[in-house]
Amino acid sequence: MQRVRLRYTKRGRLRFTSHRDFQRAFERALRRAEVPMAYSAGFTPHPKVSYANAAPTGTGSEAEYLEIGLAEQRDPAKLLALLDESLPEGLDITDAVEAHTSGLAERLEASVWELRLDGVEPEAAERAVAAFLAAESVEVERQTKKGMRAFDARGAVVSLEAVRPQADMPATGACAILRLVVRHVTPAVRPDDVLSGLRAVADLAPPVPAAVTRLAQGPLDEETGAVTDPLAPDRDAAQA
């Protein structure tokens, strides 16, 4: 069985698709592209597809990952083109490599997020970021299946900064951009948890919901705080 790892996006309005919605769309794309899938054993065989750390519904992403098992060998580049053509615009396959290593999910140690805060002055965002980073811990609450849960949103944040919007970004008023690197921990700390923390320490409350996009996820370089490519080990192993 050949294993192929794919990177895909959720862009535009399709950021509102749930993970289950994406699963259905992707399985339709597999059939449309006539991909020779390997199937599980048992009374109800299903195609071998493994999803890793999907972004929450409502957030965009440039870095979602999954792995598929094939019954026949295929060129990953050709497979990428076929699947990308079979998916709706906004769900785009951007990378494909043959798996030569194990543990893709374990490599997804951290994420890089971008939060666009319309209606927030950049100076106010900078002050809130400074207060958040200065705090030893920032307790927030989130509703879970087991009820309201409190946890520290500060400990998982590797870095957080307020950056000025680019000149070519459409904006009709005040706008602040936050970039943050969040370590994947249990319970997971999400971008909206960090926003709750900014509200708690600095009363930063955007008048409209933040537009949230995951820019990257992968291994975390503890020295630099950078998030690196989780597919790089497979590419290196293929070249070796």
Side-chain angles (χ1 to χ4, degrees):
M1 182 183 72
Q2 181 189 25
R3 294 180 298 128
V4 177
R5 290 169 175 168
L6 304 172
R7 173 174 172 165
Y8 66 95
T9 71
K10 287 173 58 180
R11 295 170 173 158
R13 291 184 298 174
L14 290 185
R15 70 185 185 276
F16 296 108
T17 57
S18 68
H19 183 54
R20 189 179 295 273
D21 292 334
F22 175 78
Q23 287 178 312
R24 288 194 288 263
F26 184 68
E27 290 183 8
R28 285 196 297 268
L30 290 171
R31 293 192 293 271
R32 192 174 298 119
E34 299 182 344
V35 177
M37 292 297 297
Y39 282 78
S40 63
F43 291 105
T44 55
H46 57 273
K48 290 195 172 183
V49 183
S50 299
Y51 301 91
N53 196 40
T57 302
T59 62
S61 180
E62 294 295 315
E64 302 295 288
Y65 293 92
L66 60 84
E67 179 180 299
I68 59 176
L70 305 182
E72 302 173 10
Q73 290 289 121
R74 288 292 186 270
D75 180 353
K78 293 181 180 179
L79 186 66
L80 183 157
L82 285 171
L83 286 172
D84 190 48
E85 185 178 347
S86 301
L87 283 166
E89 186 175 355
L91 299 178
D92 304 313
I93 308 294
T94 58
D95 202 356
V97 299
E98 184 171 1
H100 293 280
T101 62
S102 60
L104 173 62
E106 288 73 19
R107 286 182 218 152
L108 304 181
E109 297 173 341
S111 288
V112 181
W113 296 95
E114 181 178 275
L115 287 66
R116 176 179 171 130
L117 309 181
D118 286 309
V120 174
E121 294 291 346
E123 294 80 5
E126 290 168 0
R127 289 193 295 270
V129 165
F132 183 93
L133 294 176
E136 291 187 6
S137 66
V138 179
E139 187 173 283
V140 299
E141 292 185 333
R142 186 205 304 152
Q143 185 68 37
T144 69
K145 294 180 180 179
K146 296 183 179 180
M148 191 65 72
R149 182 169 187 176
F151 56 94
D152 176 27
R154 174 65 184 91
V157 175
V158 179
S159 63
L160 172 62
E161 63 176 337
V163 298
R164 301 282 172 156
Q166 297 178 3
D168 59 350
M169 293 182 67
T172 57
C175 178
I177 305 294
L178 301 183
R179 292 275 178 85
L180 63 151
V181 175
V182 181
R183 187 180 281 105
H184 297 167
V185 296
T186 304
V189 173
R190 302 172 180 172
D192 57 330
D193 298 321
V194 175
L195 286 174
S196 296
L198 291 169
R199 186 180 304 112
V201 300
D203 198 28
L204 184 72
V208 297
V212 181
T213 303
R214 173 149 57 193
L215 302 180
Q217 65 171 323
L220 176 65
D221 186 323
E222 295 289 352
E223 291 187 4
T224 65
V227 174
T228 59
D229 180 8
L231 301 183
D234 295 298
R235 272 189 279 269
D236 294 341
Q239 293 175 356

